[in-house]
Amino acid sequence: MSKSRRVFFLSEIVARLGGELRGEDVEIFEIAPLDQADRQSIAFLSNPKLRPQLQTTAAAAVIVKAADAAGLHCPCIVTPDPYLYFARVTALLHPQPAPVSGIHPSAIIAEDAFVDSGAEIGPQVVIESGVRIGARTVIKAGCVIGADTVIGEDCLFYPRVTVYHNTVIGNRVIIHAGAVIGSDGFGNAWARDHWEKIPQIGRAVVGDDVEIGANTTIDRGALGDTVIASGARLDNMIQIGHNVEIGRFTAIAACSGIAGSTKIGAGCLIGGGVGMSGHLKIADRVTILGGSNVPSSIDEPGVYGGSVTPIMPQGIWRRNAIHYRNLDQLVKRVKVLEKKLGATEEDTDKEEGDKL
Amino acid sequence: MSKSRRVFFLSEIVARLGGELRGEDVEIFEIAPLDQADRQSIAFLSNPKLRPQLQTTAAAAVIVKAADAAGLHCPCIVTPDPYLYFARVTALLHPQPAPVSGIHPSAIIAEDAFVDSGAEIGPQVVIESGVRIGARTVIKAGCVIGADTVIGEDCLFYPRVTVYHNTVIGNRVIIHAGAVIGSDGFGNAWARDHWEKIPQIGRAVVGDDVEIGANTTIDRGALGDTVIASGARLDNMIQIGHNVEIGRFTAIAACSGIAGSTKIGAGCLIGGGVGMSGHLKIADRVTILGGSNVPSSIDEPGVYGGSVTPIMPQGIWRRNAIHYRNLDQLVKRVKVLEKKLGATEEDTDKEEGDKL
Amino acid sequence: MSKSRRVFFLSEIVARLGGELRGEDVEIFEIAPLDQADRQSIAFLSNPKLRPQLQTTAAAAVIVKAADAAGLHCPCIVTPDPYLYFARVTALLHPQPAPVSGIHPSAIIAEDAFVDSGAEIGPQVVIESGVRIGARTVIKAGCVIGADTVIGEDCLFYPRVTVYHNTVIGNRVIIHAGAVIGSDGFGNAWARDHWEKIPQIGRAVVGDDVEIGANTTIDRGALGDTVIASGARLDNMIQIGHNVEIGRFTAIAACSGIAGSTKIGAGCLIGGGVGMSGHLKIADRVTILGGSNVPSSIDEPGVYGGSVTPIMPQGIWRRNAIHYRNLDQLVKRVKVLEKKLGATEEDTDKEEGDKL
């Protein structure tokens, strides 16, 4: 990737990305954090805690909000959203290489599969019968695409992605190595003395502009489809159960698991290591803090947490965990005391909470 | 898979699967939920909450218990277990394609490996020295089977499964894409100033009729074996540590991790995202609710939970988490009050718990 | 592996590994736990709870501390650290096979990649442009090594490992099947009505003598590098976010996730299923109990826990979980009582905690 790095004058960057250039029009070779930037690099300020670094950075230039543009000792680009601007400058300096159209001779392509002539199919890729792959899509080494799957244009599949049969994947979808799309959901019926498998006959359907992380698994529907809506972002090692629906632009951080048939709305932010039970409905614009379990539906937008406690020295942790085991008992003990003293709910309502 | 879908009259279904046909003998093309079924589909009622949908479904026919068979506006099949019947109708309508016996020319098979002539070995599969693969077993694209591993009959390995050397896998085992069977357990001895690896010389042994989900990992034993007993069901992205034993017909949902040497009994149901410590014993017929941690052994059958709290708005979550940190202190405060008031354990025992 | 097993007299073992032989110089074919050893096996005592098994074991010989060497009915090797000695005897009896130097004809190697003539490159491996692979390194079947990546000497990559472009891997590194090194971190900037990807232009850098478990994922840095220091041990299915740093000899058990930019010190022991938030600093020599969430930095060495409660029967679990939801309220109720009774912080400080 470094080979495709480019060099730009600040004025060229502003011409492409907008913003206002203040100061000298210097050349930019790289992008870096404020405290690591050198004379060839542009840096950016998006976290206000790092504002003092504006004075000490060695950067050739900085990307800042208007309010931070005064008194700088280097040129700057002024923009309302320096973080977004940083993303775009990074993409400018480090463009994704263009697909090298063609099929590697070691790839195995079914005769009745359709691969656009502008697509790039890497070594040892396997493409089964009836598959369709769109223009400029890149399928890297060792991916396996199951029968009758349809993949759109401008996608990028990193090595060793597996897509099961009859899956639908939109345009501009990025899938990282080891991800599995369309595997069977966990469907078993108990038959007196053994499990019988419930064939999983639905599909996995992934919209446009989705990114799916390394070793993430997305099960196909049991009946009907599992759906990842357009614009969603899934980090690494996420498990999406059968018939789950993930709304548009919802982002889920790594190691989260969403059990079957749960519907997550649009614009949600799900932290890392979150576990959601099955058959829930999560409203639009819900944020779940990392590590939380979600055992029930959430109807209102907002920020939610659960199941995560502070980290404590082992001795304190152990004592509190045992007290937690006896919490029901403790509540009874307080009730006894309240009765003896005639304390009422009104008393409690009047009491101010601890300042925490 | 859709290509292998078949069509049946209700009378043919009943002839094969049992149950009692009531009403007209119509043709069935598909199976669907009650609320999505159309005039070509059969639907089923297993969740009593959905009973009202029996009156509104557009299904050609429904699968119901005898108690639900009265007053229907369409034909039905009466059976004591509609969910199991649904599983079997699905399998009837969507049969797994038969293996296409033979070895793809791109597969690399060691000279001294034995592959049954009825087995199907997909493209770019690698089969190492001394491996034995039974009749009608399907090994899909890109799987790697390590030296001296034995795989039974009628198995189905989806693409890119890795089985390490010297592993034993029974008959009718399904393994999904990306799963790894027989990898080294986490064994390290501290040698004054560095870790030394403890070679993992045991095996992973998988019984008959097991299903293993996508990207699940099962470590081989350190000394002795890791064992997945016949009939067990493992969902996606489960980690099974070295020398773990999973009992017969035990089902484990996705994202759970079982640490080394823990023995789980037969007929257990382990929810998603469950973490079990090592060296535990879990009795037969134990159910663990999703998201729970299991830090200690469980001797009695039953349903257990732990570590999962309700999901709460962030502010409430934060306050409660801090109070949790101080729970030991709170208990002391209650003890002080009890002493001042002469409240006794008997008082608490007499007190009724809150209705929750 | 069993094919490479060897046989040793106790005197030969002591000559190679040190320790003191007491008793007859018998031949050893295998290593086994005390309760499973037979007359061909050597066993070891490291867990004091198993001491009674010394009297009943059928082992040909045992590895013990000096304090346990008296009164044995079989020969023994005396050593200060029987567990470490066991690791070394295991390695002696079950040596890793030497690399079979050469490149399998089905491997696809870029013309400008450098593969040491003593390296072993397995079937269907893909090695991209500019890669360098050191002496005696073994890359097993189906691995994909991205452009410009550098891999040291004496490494062992199990099948189907993916290493992205521009990654650095030291010497004597073991990586298990399905692991992904150098995948993109989770970087997204919100652009008014959609996410824009932040190109991940840093690297993943893995030191010497590291072991990485099956299906573990290590993201490359966003800017700058993700670093796994020499001597670290990562179990299966661990997620390492972008720009994380893992200190020397730190060991992390399976299913843990470390969010972006967190720095873990040296010599830490992180249990299984631990979730760490991003941007934390964890001191050297910190132990985190399995299942804990770590939402904040830890400045002092020690053993820490959090978020894990005892496992409870469902009814008790449910009641306590609901009380937890109302913990803030309970604390207020206790405050009301304290006011009514004039109880003070001093009273609480004087109160002894429950014996738990």
Side-chain angles (χ1 to χ4, degrees):
Chain A
M1 300 278 174
S2 52
K3 288 167 181 171
S4 51
R5 199 207 300 169
R6 299 172 190 177
V7 180
F8 291 89
F9 280 96
L10 288 176
S11 57
E12 293 175 289
I13 294 174
V14 167
R16 289 170 184 245
L17 303 182
E20 178 199 346
L21 169 59
R22 298 193 190 169
E24 195 188 347
D25 185 17
V26 297
E27 254 186 332
I28 298 299
F29 294 78
E30 193 45 280
I31 187 155
L34 283 165
D35 60 346
Q36 291 169 36
D38 62 19
R39 297 300 307 161
Q40 298 205 311
S41 303
I42 190 166
F44 65 102
L45 177 70
S46 69
N47 178 352
K49 286 187 196 160
L50 303 181
R51 192 168 287 127
Q53 296 184 1
L54 278 181
Q55 300 312 317
T56 56
T57 184
V62 292
I63 305 165
V64 292
K65 289 188 185 182
D68 294 312
L72 297 175
H73 59 74
C74 65
C76 66
I77 295 174
V78 175
T79 169
D81 188 344
Y83 190 65
L84 178 59
Y85 205 95
F86 145 66
R88 291 173 175 174
V89 171
T90 308
L92 200 61
L93 291 166
H94 297 267
Q96 191 62 33
V100 179
S101 62
I103 296 173
H104 192 279
S106 64
I108 312 279
I109 317 279
E111 277 183 32
D112 64 348
F114 170 80
V115 177
D116 187 278
S117 63
E120 172 183 339
I121 309 296
Q124 288 154 350
V125 166
V126 175
I127 295 181
E128 294 186 354
S129 169
V131 167
R132 294 184 65 83
I133 294 181
R136 297 170 304 279
T137 281
V138 176
I139 311 282
K140 294 206 169 201
C143 290
V144 179
I145 312 298
D148 298 318
T149 283
V150 176
I151 298 171
E153 302 181 345
D154 297 297
C155 292
L156 172 56
F157 288 18
Y158 282 93
R160 298 196 311 98
V161 169
T162 303
V163 183
Y164 277 50
H165 58 278
N166 212 19
T167 300
V168 177
I169 293 180
N171 301 309
R172 299 172 301 280
V173 171
I174 299 173
I175 306 184
H176 285 278
V180 176
I181 318 295
S183 42
D184 281 354
F186 199 53
N188 301 288
W190 183 249
R192 193 175 300 232
D193 59 0
H194 67 282
W195 293 109
E196 291 193 16
K197 178 176 176 67
I198 299 171
Q200 304 289 298
I201 62 175
R203 303 178 302 170
V205 176
V206 176
D208 297 329
D209 300 298
V210 170
E211 183 161 357
I212 295 170
N215 282 352
T216 280
T217 55
I218 300 176
D219 283 340
R220 64 196 310 108
L223 302 172
D225 296 336
T226 304
V227 178
I228 312 294
S230 291
R233 288 290 191 270
L234 272 58
D235 197 356
N236 294 354
M237 237 186 280
I238 289 168
Q239 151 68 4
I240 304 290
H242 49 187
N243 298 94
V244 164
E245 294 178 19
I246 306 290
R248 293 194 66 160
F249 307 117
T250 283
I252 306 181
C255 303
S256 291
I258 315 297
S261 299
T262 283
K263 318 291 182 204
I264 301 180
C268 294
L269 299 171
I270 313 295
V274 167
M276 281 199 198
S277 298
H279 297 275
L280 305 185
K281 286 199 181 174
I282 307 297
D284 294 347
R285 297 188 309 286
V286 163
T287 295
I288 307 284
L289 299 171
S292 298
N293 279 288
V294 184
S296 56
S297 292
I298 297 178
D299 300 330
E300 295 292 328
V303 182
Y304 295 83
S307 302
V308 178
T309 73
I311 187 82
M312 299 166 255
Q314 179 177 30
I316 296 171
W317 163 74
R318 194 177 151 273
R319 292 186 73 80
N320 289 333
I322 295 171
H323 289 313
Y324 181 83
R325 173 72 175 73
N326 298 319
L327 205 48
D328 196 42
Q329 196 72 359
L330 184 68
V331 171
K332 277 191 198 171
R333 287 162 68 186
V334 171
K335 281 180 75 176
V336 167
L337 297 169
E338 286 173 331
K339 283 191 183 166
K340 281 190 192 280
L341 283 172
T344 64
E345 269 187 54
E346 288 74 46
D347 293 335
T348 306
D349 291 348
K350 273 184 266 169
E351 183 66 38
E352 234 175 275
D354 292 342
K355 283 182 191 158
L356 300 177
Chain B
M1 299 277 176
S2 54
K3 288 166 182 171
S4 51
R5 199 207 302 170
R6 299 173 188 174
V7 180
F8 291 88
F9 279 96
L10 288 175
S11 57
E12 293 175 288
I13 294 175
V14 167
R16 289 169 184 245
L17 303 182
E20 180 199 345
L21 169 59
R22 298 192 190 169
E24 195 188 347
D25 186 18
V26 297
E27 256 186 330
I28 298 300
F29 295 78
E30 193 46 282
I31 187 154
L34 283 165
D35 60 344
Q36 292 168 34
D38 62 17
R39 296 301 306 163
Q40 299 204 309
S41 304
I42 190 166
F44 65 102
L45 177 68
S46 69
N47 178 350
K49 285 187 197 159
L50 303 181
R51 191 168 288 129
Q53 296 184 1
L54 279 181
Q55 299 311 317
T56 56
T57 184
V62 292
I63 305 164
V64 292
K65 288 188 185 180
D68 293 313
L72 297 175
H73 59 73
C74 66
C76 66
I77 295 174
V78 174
T79 170
D81 189 344
Y83 190 65
L84 178 59
Y85 206 96
F86 145 66
R88 291 173 175 173
V89 172
T90 309
L92 201 60
L93 292 166
H94 298 268
Q96 191 62 32
V100 179
S101 61
I103 295 173
H104 193 280
S106 64
I108 311 281
I109 318 278
E111 276 184 33
D112 64 349
F114 169 80
V115 178
D116 187 277
S117 63
E120 172 183 339
I121 308 296
Q124 288 155 349
V125 166
V126 175
I127 295 180
E128 295 186 351
S129 169
V131 167
R132 293 184 65 83
I133 294 181
R136 297 170 304 279
T137 282
V138 176
I139 310 282
K140 293 205 170 203
C143 290
V144 180
I145 313 296
D148 298 318
T149 282
V150 176
I151 298 171
E153 301 180 345
D154 298 297
C155 292
L156 172 55
F157 288 18
Y158 282 92
R160 299 197 309 98
V161 168
T162 303
V163 183
Y164 278 51
H165 60 279
N166 211 21
T167 300
V168 178
I169 293 179
N171 301 309
R172 299 172 301 281
V173 171
I174 299 172
I175 306 184
H176 285 279
V180 177
I181 319 294
S183 42
D184 281 354
F186 198 54
N188 300 289
W190 183 250
R192 194 175 298 233
D193 59 0
H194 67 282
W195 292 108
E196 291 193 16
K197 178 177 175 66
I198 299 171
Q200 304 289 297
I201 63 175
R203 302 177 302 171
V205 176
V206 176
D208 297 330
D209 301 298
V210 170
E211 183 161 355
I212 295 170
N215 281 352
T216 280
T217 54
I218 299 176
D219 284 339
R220 65 195 312 109
L223 302 173
D225 297 334
T226 303
V227 178
I228 312 296
S230 291
R233 288 289 191 271
L234 272 59
D235 197 356
N236 294 355
M237 238 187 277
I238 289 168
Q239 151 69 4
I240 304 289
H242 49 186
N243 298 95
V244 164
E245 293 178 18
I246 306 291
R248 294 194 65 160
F249 307 117
T250 284
I252 306 181
C255 303
S256 291
I258 316 295
S261 300
T262 283
K263 318 291 182 204
I264 301 181
C268 293
L269 299 172
I270 312 295
V274 167
M276 281 199 198
S277 299
H279 297 274
L280 305 185
K281 285 198 182 174
I282 307 298
D284 294 347
R285 297 187 309 286
V286 164
T287 294
I288 307 283
L289 299 171
S292 299
N293 280 288
V294 184
S296 56
S297 293
I298 297 178
D299 301 330
E300 295 292 331
V303 182
Y304 295 83
S307 302
V308 177
T309 74
I311 187 81
M312 299 166 256
Q314 179 176 29
I316 297 172
W317 163 75
R318 195 177 151 271
R319 292 185 72 81
N320 289 332
I322 296 171
H323 289 313
Y324 182 83
R325 174 71 175 74
N326 298 319
L327 205 47
D328 195 43
Q329 195 73 357
L330 185 67
V331 172
K332 276 192 199 171
R333 287 163 67 185
V334 170
K335 280 179 77 176
V336 166
L337 296 169
E338 287 173 331
K339 283 190 183 166
K340 281 189 193 280
L341 281 172
T344 64
E345 268 187 55
E346 289 73 46
D347 293 336
T348 307
D349 290 348
K350 272 183 266 169
E351 182 66 36
E352 234 174 275
D354 292 343
K355 283 185 190 153
L356 300 176
Chain C
M1 299 274 177
S2 55
K3 287 167 180 169
S4 52
R5 198 207 303 169
R6 299 172 189 175
V7 180
F8 291 90
F9 279 97
L10 288 176
S11 57
E12 292 175 290
I13 294 174
V14 168
R16 288 168 185 247
L17 302 182
E20 180 198 344
L21 169 59
R22 298 193 191 168
E24 197 188 345
D25 186 17
V26 298
E27 255 185 332
I28 298 300
F29 295 78
E30 193 45 279
I31 187 155
L34 283 165
D35 61 345
Q36 291 168 35
D38 63 18
R39 297 299 308 162
Q40 299 205 309
S41 302
I42 191 166
F44 65 101
L45 177 69
S46 70
N47 178 350
K49 286 187 196 160
L50 302 181
R51 192 168 289 128
Q53 296 184 1
L54 279 181
Q55 299 311 317
T56 56
T57 184
V62 292
I63 305 164
V64 292
K65 288 189 184 179
D68 293 313
L72 297 175
H73 59 73
C74 67
C76 68
I77 294 174
V78 175
T79 170
D81 189 342
Y83 190 66
L84 177 59
Y85 205 96
F86 145 67
R88 291 173 176 175
V89 171
T90 309
L92 201 61
L93 292 166
H94 297 267
Q96 191 63 33
V100 179
S101 61
I103 296 173
H104 193 278
S106 64
I108 311 281
I109 318 277
E111 276 183 33
D112 64 349
F114 169 79
V115 177
D116 186 279
S117 63
E120 172 183 339
I121 308 298
Q124 288 153 350
V125 167
V126 174
I127 295 181
E128 295 185 354
S129 169
V131 167
R132 296 184 64 84
I133 294 181
R136 297 170 305 279
T137 282
V138 176
I139 309 284
K140 293 206 169 202
C143 290
V144 180
I145 312 296
D148 297 318
T149 282
V150 176
I151 298 171
E153 302 181 345
D154 298 297
C155 292
L156 172 56
F157 288 18
Y158 281 92
R160 298 197 309 99
V161 168
T162 303
V163 183
Y164 277 51
H165 60 279
N166 212 19
T167 300
V168 177
I169 293 180
N171 301 309
R172 299 172 302 280
V173 172
I174 300 172
I175 306 184
H176 284 280
V180 177
I181 318 293
S183 42
D184 280 355
F186 199 54
N188 300 289
W190 184 249
R192 193 174 299 232
D193 59 359
H194 67 283
W195 294 109
E196 291 193 17
K197 179 177 176 65
I198 299 170
Q200 304 290 297
I201 63 174
R203 303 177 303 169
V205 176
V206 176
D208 297 330
D209 301 298
V210 169
E211 183 162 355
I212 295 170
N215 282 353
T216 280
T217 54
I218 299 176
D219 283 339
R220 64 193 314 106
L223 301 172
D225 296 335
T226 303
V227 178
I228 313 295
S230 292
R233 287 289 190 273
L234 271 59
D235 198 356
N236 294 355
M237 237 186 277
I238 289 169
Q239 152 69 4
I240 303 289
H242 48 187
N243 299 95
V244 164
E245 294 178 18
I246 307 291
R248 294 194 65 160
F249 307 117
T250 284
I252 306 181
C255 303
S256 291
I258 315 296
S261 299
T262 283
K263 317 293 182 204
I264 301 180
C268 293
L269 298 172
I270 312 296
V274 167
M276 282 199 197
S277 299
H279 296 276
L280 305 185
K281 286 198 182 174
I282 308 298
D284 294 347
R285 297 187 310 286
V286 164
T287 294
I288 307 285
L289 299 172
S292 298
N293 280 290
V294 184
S296 56
S297 292
I298 297 178
D299 301 329
E300 295 293 329
V303 182
Y304 295 83
S307 301
V308 178
T309 73
I311 187 83
M312 298 165 255
Q314 179 177 30
I316 297 172
W317 163 74
R318 194 176 151 273
R319 291 186 74 80
N320 288 332
I322 296 170
H323 289 314
Y324 181 83
R325 173 72 175 73
N326 298 319
L327 205 48
D328 195 42
Q329 196 72 357
L330 184 67
V331 172
K332 276 192 199 170
R333 287 162 67 185
V334 170
K335 281 179 77 175
V336 166
L337 297 169
E338 287 172 330
K339 283 189 182 165
K340 281 189 192 279
L341 281 172
T344 64
E345 268 187 56
E346 288 74 44
D347 294 334
T348 306
D349 291 347
K350 273 184 266 171
E351 184 65 37
E352 232 174 277
D354 292 343
K355 284 181 190 157
L356 299 177

